[in-house]
Amino acid sequence: MGMLSRSPWVIHYDGSSCNGCDIEVLAALMPRFDVERFGVVNTGNPKHADIFLLTGSINEQNKPVVLNIYNQMPEPKVVLAVGICATSGGIFRECYNVLGGADKVLPVDVYVPGCSVRPEAIIDAVVKGVGILEEKRAALRNNLKSAVSQA
Amino acid sequence: MSERTIIPFGPQHPVLPEPIHLDLVVEDEKVIEAIPSIGFIHRGLERLVEKKDYVDYVYVAERICGICSFIHGLTYCMAIEELMKVQVPDRAQYLRLIWSELSRIHSHLLWLGLTADSFGFESMFMQSWRLREYILDIIEETTGGRVIFGSAKIGGVRRDIPLAKMDEIMKKMRVYRKDVAALCEQFMKDQTVKHRMRGVGLLSREDAISLGAVGPMLRGSGVAQDIRMTGYSGYDRIGFTPITETAGDCYARCMVRVREMDASFQMIERCVEQMTDGPIEVKVTGNPNGEFFMRSEQPRGEAIYYAKANGTKFLSRLRVRTPTFANIPPLLTALAGCQLADVPVIVLTIDPCISCAER
Ligand code: SF4
């Protein structure tokens, strides 16, 4: 599996963003930035994904959807909160229907600020995410080993 | 009679960058009915007027939607300016027009890509988003932002475009215009595209009017209505004529947008010719009072801002009606009776912008 470790598959979900960050996420896939050349693939299926890219903040209606996607992803997994909305609620923080950033419901690994985020920042975050993914994978492996040796 | 099944479409779906949920009632492959449920992106930002004063709220208005951000901010500004009887200088109006039309071009290119992608035309998706980047470059050079411009303000605009820069931009724009036209021609002449879009998702002229369709959805069904005809922000001076098609199917709606892009390039050109030097803003003092309806034409159709002020720094009520919200009933009519595989194509020809619709 070593050769796949640098090619994370990403799933993107729009919480309650204004769209600005979503189109920048898509723009990162386009010829100018083209993250696919590094092997980063945007998938629509949470069961194939390593990295969860969440834009926009959390509200009551999308909370179950976000959790549902997160729970379907196989371990190890990494969550990126993209845009200031996803990190803290941003400009909409005082709105009555906004609970706050992504960390209200998910364990966030990387916070990506910016309103809207620039595609370069998203790529940077994915690279960071790959590093964290690696650590988590190693930890998982160690746990498994120690469990086996105890048995 | 065959059995009925309900297929959920969304909220997380590969062709949708944004969440909307449709329950599709199907009989074999045929969609009998589509039942929408929305509210995934509702933030309740209209009530923020109670917490942010009328000058700061421009930034919130811009973030109603990241695609037509500038026009949202602009419409809000225009509403407040009408309330406060502020006369915006000519140069500012022209600059606003240029940025509005640049947003329209980038929004339509974005839509073209997503639509092509919805039936698997990946290379078109890539090509149109490649061209879109060039338009974004111009926007970034002139305003400093790619998505959220932050250049509209009450009483004018925040930044000027110097003359030398304008020439440089126009030189580039002429090249991009040809590129975009070539790309669109390829798309519209493609046999597969015609096959997937002609006669699909029909919306008759009568339905379009009675269901309150707006924007290209309305003009694709042969109704010549465009808020730019009212001549806000200098549109009266550059001579605007609305673009219509009569077929009322997906293909017609695409054609309207494709032709609109070319018209936008033309309008920018005319605008630059007519522009004269001058101030770009007037000083605004005092607080707004009274109520006003402001309408504007966004890439997706007509947006309405209703603002009610009470003489303090904070507005007492703001209400926004956005084009996608108005286009949902016509969409449901267009969906009824289509094939299941056509659902993404039809949904994308209204150019849905869910964060607008739910705010
Ligand atoms: S961070 Fe800014 S651009 Fe991104 S979704 Fe939030 S408001 Fe929109």
Side-chain angles (χ1 to χ4, degrees):
Chain A
M1 291 296 278
M3 69 221 199
L4 294 183
S5 63
R6 297 254 153 221
S7 162
W9 284 30
V10 174
I11 185 167
H12 163 228
Y13 182 74
D14 167 3
S16 60
S17 85
C18 79
N19 238 343
C21 289
D22 304 311
I23 50 177
E24 293 295 58
V25 169
L26 282 185
L29 296 168
M30 288 306 111
R32 160 124 7 132
F33 301 100
D34 196 9
V35 290
E36 232 160 88
R37 71 203 145 125
F38 305 126
V40 181
V41 177
N42 186 14
T43 160
N45 189 344
K47 296 202 169 91
H48 294 164
D50 305 302
I51 294 181
F52 186 9
L53 219 152
L54 185 72
T55 53
S57 39
I58 300 290
N59 61 31
E60 288 297 341
Q61 176 103 339
N62 70 28
K63 206 159 123 185
V65 183
V66 169
L67 278 173
N68 200 351
I69 295 174
Y70 181 76
N71 290 336
Q72 285 184 51
M73 287 167 63
E75 290 284 351
K77 50 193 164 190
V78 166
V79 178
L80 315 184
V82 175
I84 206 72
C85 280
T87 62
S88 70
I91 193 163
F92 304 124
R93 166 183 211 138
E94 289 168 304
C95 290
Y96 59 82
N97 199 34
V98 171
L99 294 181
D103 48 10
K104 282 270 184 296
V105 292
L106 298 179
V108 177
D109 296 287
V110 185
Y111 294 89
V112 195
C115 179
S116 65
V117 281
R118 297 188 59 90
E120 293 93 333
I122 299 175
I123 298 172
D124 250 13
V126 171
V127 171
K128 276 230 164 66
V130 170
I132 297 173
L133 203 64
E134 201 89 321
E135 282 166 26
K136 286 194 175 174
R137 191 173 288 136
L140 216 64
R141 218 177 284 132
N142 283 343
N143 282 351
L144 205 68
K145 255 188 216 151
S146 57
V148 168
S149 61
Q150 269 168 23
Chain B
M1 200 183 100
S2 49
E3 227 173 279
R4 290 198 171 182
T5 326
I6 295 182
I7 297 188
F9 180 81
Q12 189 263 334
H13 189 279
V15 302
L16 296 172
E18 297 175 275
I20 180 171
H21 182 83
L22 292 173
D23 274 323
L24 301 170
V25 183
V26 295
E27 219 165 68
D28 294 336
E29 282 285 295
K30 203 164 165 220
V31 178
I32 306 291
E33 202 188 349
I35 308 160
S37 63
I38 59 173
F40 292 95
I41 329 191
H42 179 62
R43 287 153 281 174
L45 51 79
E46 284 163 357
R47 254 192 99 178
L48 266 192
V49 288
E50 294 169 7
K51 293 182 181 140
K52 298 217 190 292
D53 67 39
Y54 75 94
V55 179
D56 280 355
Y57 196 81
V58 181
Y59 299 112
V60 182
E62 265 196 316
R63 284 165 178 82
I64 288 178
C65 165
I67 305 176
C68 15
S69 58
F70 180 76
I71 309 184
H72 268 297
L74 172 62
T75 319
Y76 172 78
C77 287
M78 288 193 298
I80 302 294
E81 281 153 7
E82 290 287 341
L83 279 179
M84 302 180 73
K85 311 267 176 315
V86 175
Q87 183 59 38
V88 181
D90 280 355
R91 189 172 174 86
Q93 295 204 358
Y94 281 124
L95 285 170
R96 285 173 168 191
L97 199 155
I98 290 176
W99 280 318
S100 300
E101 291 309 315
L102 279 173
S103 330
R104 195 175 316 275
I105 297 170
H106 105 71
S107 168
H108 281 354
L109 280 172
L110 181 146
W111 153 84
L112 179 66
L114 289 177
T115 308
D117 186 49
S118 73
F119 51 84
F121 197 167
E122 277 266 346
S123 55
M124 179 59 73
F125 180 40
M126 294 287 171
Q127 289 297 343
S128 66
W129 280 61
R130 180 179 63 86
L131 288 179
R132 179 175 162 266
E133 285 290 331
Y134 297 133
I135 305 292
L136 288 188
D137 279 349
I138 293 182
I139 292 175
E140 191 175 355
E141 273 171 40
T142 53
T143 68
R146 278 165 57 90
V147 173
I148 308 281
F149 305 179
S151 52
K153 74 184 269 191
I154 294 168
V157 290
R158 220 169 275 279
R159 291 180 191 81
D160 200 354
I161 308 178
L163 206 63
K165 180 111 240 164
M166 198 76 99
D167 286 343
E168 194 189 311
I169 289 173
M170 282 325 292
K171 241 186 243 139
K172 285 188 197 158
M173 289 290 276
R174 274 176 216 125
V175 179
Y176 299 158
R177 183 175 171 190
K178 285 203 197 96
D179 290 351
V180 170
L183 187 79
C184 291
E185 192 181 317
Q186 239 173 37
F187 183 76
M188 297 315 286
K189 289 230 169 108
D190 192 280
Q191 214 44 48
T192 325
V193 172
K194 283 187 188 162
H195 185 70
R196 283 303 298 271
M197 292 204 172
R198 280 245 165 99
V200 174
L202 279 172
L203 184 74
S204 66
R205 191 190 152 93
E206 289 70 38
D207 277 350
I209 295 173
S210 65
L211 294 170
V214 293
M217 189 90 176
L218 181 64
R219 295 196 284 280
S221 296
V223 185
Q225 188 187 323
D226 190 314
I227 307 303
R228 283 175 286 173
M229 286 153 74
T230 59
Y232 70 87
S233 192
Y235 280 107
D236 47 350
R237 268 168 284 179
I238 56 163
F240 175 78
T241 40
I243 288 163
T244 54
E245 290 282 329
T246 48
D249 55 2
C250 288
Y251 192 78
R253 299 198 271 278
C254 290
M255 205 61 200
V256 169
R257 292 202 179 88
V258 163
R259 286 173 52 201
E260 272 187 5
M261 267 194 269
D262 203 58
S264 295
F265 277 112
Q266 266 175 32
M267 271 187 261
I268 295 176
E269 184 121 30
R270 248 177 280 149
C271 212
V272 173
E273 278 164 18
Q274 287 185 14
M275 249 161 109
T276 47
D277 245 351
I280 56 162
E281 57 172 314
V282 287
K283 209 165 158 41
V284 177
T285 47
N287 292 325
N289 201 352
E291 50 184 346
F292 197 77
F293 258 112
M294 186 71 219
R295 306 193 293 166
S296 71
E297 184 75 17
Q298 290 190 328
R300 291 163 181 73
E302 170 187 7
I304 303 176
Y305 270 64
Y306 166 74
K308 186 172 174 195
N310 51 9
T312 63
K313 263 194 344 202
F314 300 94
L315 300 183
S316 45
R317 183 86 174 91
L318 181 78
R319 168 94 183 109
V320 185
R321 201 207 60 179
T322 51
T324 305
F325 192 72
N327 270 337
I328 287 179
L331 169 69
L332 299 180
T333 308
L335 276 177
C338 76
Q339 295 290 313
L340 186 59
D342 288 334
V343 171
V345 183
I346 299 175
V347 170
L348 277 162
T349 53
I350 77 158
D351 197 359
C353 173
I354 311 299
S355 55
C356 271
E358 303 183 353
R359 299 178 299 286

